[in-house]
């Protein structure tokens, strides 16, 4: 592929003039790559937010005035190493297991 | 580059106790994960690291896990209490790994009834018997190498869970490295507007 063709191939799925006009193709290509670069880091943050929200939602159903923050504090005190990703995954797949963990930690 | 390893063999190890002891003693986080980062659990990478995880626990539980429906609330294994839990089950567990493919097999009579949380290269993965897993490159891991993972943070079955503080005692996950390779290329493009600054860099994580 010639470089020009490579360029337009990159933007071939863009909308309107962004896939047809060469100057705008280069501009949009730059913006797309930059966004991809930034969003690769944002992806990690987004997932962490998601896991925290999920854990919080489930934990609040366990008991009165029990929340995500208390769970995490107990986790640290009891020296558990499970991270948020795993906790969220356990929640959706095996809710029982999470209740066991939280009960164990609360003692 | 993605080789999807299939669930080929079921390794049944009868003497899990001995294996467990041996595995526990000798291997202590001997491998390091090299730079390449492997994707999140949901994203499979071309390179598949099959980790055969053999979940072996020497401490016996006061009740056999499968029959203890009443012990639903029972959790964790204290290092003091020696409760051997007989779980002889080895199932190949593929682990896709951009760097290395490890096949995980757990010592469990039935598949998918037990899971463990294992820490590899500073990351935690949920591991099932006979499933592939993609992890970062492990130093000194060639193809068809057997790896024992001792950093097991949590072991769970349908009725009981063993919580590690921080590590579950006498639990090991055996894995077989299936493949080593690189991730697909990622373009790292740096750009500052109006300042005439552009850098185009390609990157393949191991």
């Amino acid at each position: 592929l010639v470089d020009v063709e490579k360029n337009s191939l990159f933007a071939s799925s863009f909308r309107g003039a962004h896939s047809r006009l060469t100057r705008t193709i280069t501009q949009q290509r730059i913006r797309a790559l930059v966004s991809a670069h930034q969003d690769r880091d944002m992806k990690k943050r987004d997932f962490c937010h998601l896991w925290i929200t999920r854990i919080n939602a489930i934990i609040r159903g366990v008991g009165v005035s029990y929340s995500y923050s208390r769970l995490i504090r107990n986790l640290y005190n009891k020296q558990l190493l499970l991270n948020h990703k795993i906790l969220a995954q356990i929640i959706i797949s095996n809710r029982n297991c999470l209740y066991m963990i939280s009960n164990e930690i609360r003692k | 580059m993605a080789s999807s390893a299939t669930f080929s063999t079921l390794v049944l190890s009868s003497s899990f106790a001995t294996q467990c002891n041996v595995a526990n003693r000798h291997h202590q986080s001997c491998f390091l994960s090299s730079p390449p980062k492997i994707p999140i659990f949901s994203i499979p990478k071309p390179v598949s690291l099959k980790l055969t995880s053999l979940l072996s626990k020497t401490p016996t539980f006061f009740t056999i896990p499968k029959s203890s429906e009443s012990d639903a609330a029972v959790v964790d294994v204290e290092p003091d209490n020696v409760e051997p839990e007989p779980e002889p089950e080895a199932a190949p567990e593929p682990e896709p790994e951009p760097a290395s493919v490890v096949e995980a097999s757990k010592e469990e009579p039935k598949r998918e009834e037990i899971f463990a949380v294992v820490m590899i290269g500073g990351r935690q993965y949920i591991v099932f018997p006979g499933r592939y897993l993609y992890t970062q490159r492990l130093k000194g891991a060639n193809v068809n190498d057997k790896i024992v993972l001792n950093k097991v943070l949590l072991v769970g079955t349908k009725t009981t869970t063993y919580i590690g503080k921080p590590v579950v005692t006498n639990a090991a996950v055996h894995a077989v490295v299936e493949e080593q390779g690189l991730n697909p290329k990622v373009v790292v493009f740096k750009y500052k507007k109006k300042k005439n600054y552009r850098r185009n860099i390609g990157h393949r994580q191991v």
Side-chain angles (χ1 to χ4, degrees), chain A residues 40 81 83 85 97 100 104, chain B residues 41 72 75-76 124 161 187:
Chain A
R40 258 175 262 130
L81 275 189
N83 62 5
K85 163 178 110 179
C97 184
M100 290 196 227
E104 184 57 33
Chain B
F41 51 87
V75 176
D76 93 62
Q124 300 176 11
T161 53
V187 173

Side-chain angles (χ1 to χ4, degrees), chain B:
Chain B
M1 42 189 156
S3 72
S4 53
T6 54
F7 300 42
S8 45
T9 55
L10 255 181
V11 178
L12 289 175
S13 56
S14 53
S15 61
F16 69 90
T18 55
Q19 272 189 5
C20 173
N21 282 330
V22 168
N24 245 359
R25 302 291 176 259
H26 295 318
H27 304 267
Q28 203 63 31
S29 64
C30 47
F31 45 80
L32 303 168
S33 59
S34 72
K37 44 182 174 185
I38 290 319
I40 338 286
F41 51 87
S42 52
I43 306 174
K45 283 299 180 178
V47 184
S48 54
L49 186 66
K50 277 187 187 176
L51 276 182
T52 55
S53 57
L54 294 172
L55 203 58
S56 46
K57 301 210 57 165
T58 48
T60 52
F61 238 35
F62 42 86
T63 54
I64 302 177
K66 293 194 176 54
S67 62
S68 62
E69 281 101 10
S70 58
D71 296 351
V74 173
V75 176
D76 93 62
V77 169
E78 291 299 315
D80 309 320
N81 305 342
V82 177
E83 301 180 74
E85 189 183 48
E87 289 179 343
E89 191 182 275
E93 191 170 308
E95 275 193 11
E97 199 180 53
S100 51
V101 177
V102 178
E103 181 172 318
S105 69
K106 282 191 191 176
E107 284 193 10
E108 278 294 309
K110 288 159 196 173
R111 269 192 194 186
E112 308 270 352
E113 273 199 10
I114 190 178
F115 72 92
V117 172
V118 131
M119 183 178 280
I120 301 180
R123 303 174 175 190
Q124 300 176 11
Y125 303 91
I126 291 192
V127 156
F128 289 98
R131 283 240 203 125
Y132 292 90
L133 193 69
Y134 285 107
T135 58
Q136 297 187 336
R137 175 194 290 168
L138 310 172
K139 274 189 190 174
N142 307 315
V143 189
N144 295 330
D145 254 12
K146 298 223 170 154
I147 291 181
V148 175
L149 310 165
N150 277 325
K151 271 190 141 185
V152 177
L153 304 173
L154 177 83
V155 178
T157 53
K158 281 201 173 163
T159 49
T160 57
T161 53
Y162 302 91
I163 303 181
K165 297 183 179 180
V167 177
V168 182
T169 53
N170 296 325
V173 170
H174 295 252
V176 170
V177 179
E178 272 207 3
E179 200 180 317
Q180 293 226 0
L182 302 173
N183 272 2
K185 179 178 286 189
V186 148
V187 173
V188 177
F189 191 86
K190 306 190 185 179
Y191 172 78
K192 293 195 203 241
K193 58 184 179 185
K194 299 183 215 159
K195 307 300 170 196
N196 240 351
Y197 171 81
R198 285 177 208 194
R199 302 284 179 266
N200 196 358
I201 301 172
H203 176 70
R204 299 197 74 184
Q205 186 67 5
V206 176

